[in-house]
């Protein structure tokens, strides 16, 4: 995913979900603003694989910029600007 703007999402801006195969993703030049009931980027507990972030900006997310749920084997390389990485959800859906 590249050169994309995600505004005013109902839950998370980008989700890496449980199920399916192993994901290898590149996310570059992406702006995520106002994830109303979730994180900018969420890796669910059963998500497997990795994502590399380049020039990613996350603002105004209700539960944090990047969230890896406990048990997630998903690896996120790089960091958004500003970088806030959490492993627990601060809000609820």
């Amino acid at each position: 995913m590249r050169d994309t703007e995600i505004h005013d999402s109902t839950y998370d801006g980008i989700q890496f979900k449980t199920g399916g195969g192993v994901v290898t993703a590149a996310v570059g030049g992406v702006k995520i603003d106002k994830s109303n009931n979730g994180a900018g980027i969420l890796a669910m507990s059963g998500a497997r694989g990795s994502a590399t972030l380049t020039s990613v900006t996350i603002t105004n997310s209700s539960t944090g910029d990047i969230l890896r749920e406990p048990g997630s084997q998903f690896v996120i390389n790089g960091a958004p600007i500003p970088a806030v990485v959490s492993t627990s959800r601060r809000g609820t859906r």
Side-chain angles (χ1 to χ4, degrees):
M1 175 185 296
R2 66 176 184 208
D3 302 327
T4 301
E5 293 187 13
I6 300 168
H7 295 282
D8 201 25
S9 60
T10 301
Y11 293 103
D12 308 295
I14 297 172
Q15 292 180 340
F16 296 101
K17 299 178 118 184
T18 303
V22 176
V23 172
T24 302
V27 181
V30 173
K31 295 179 181 180
I32 301 170
D33 181 53
K34 198 173 181 188
S35 297
N36 291 298
N37 296 298
I41 298 174
L42 171 67
M44 292 183 171
S45 62
R48 296 179 302 145
S50 66
T52 300
L53 309 181
T54 307
S55 299
V56 173
T57 303
I58 302 172
T59 53
N60 302 312
S61 297
S62 70
T63 63
D65 292 349
I66 295 179
L67 176 65
R68 289 180 62 240
E69 291 182 341
S72 177
Q73 297 177 21
F74 201 82
V75 176
I76 298 175
N77 301 300
I81 308 163
V84 177
V85 179
S86 176
T87 57
S88 63
R89 193 173 284 279
R90 287 182 272 177
T92 58
R93 286 190 185 188

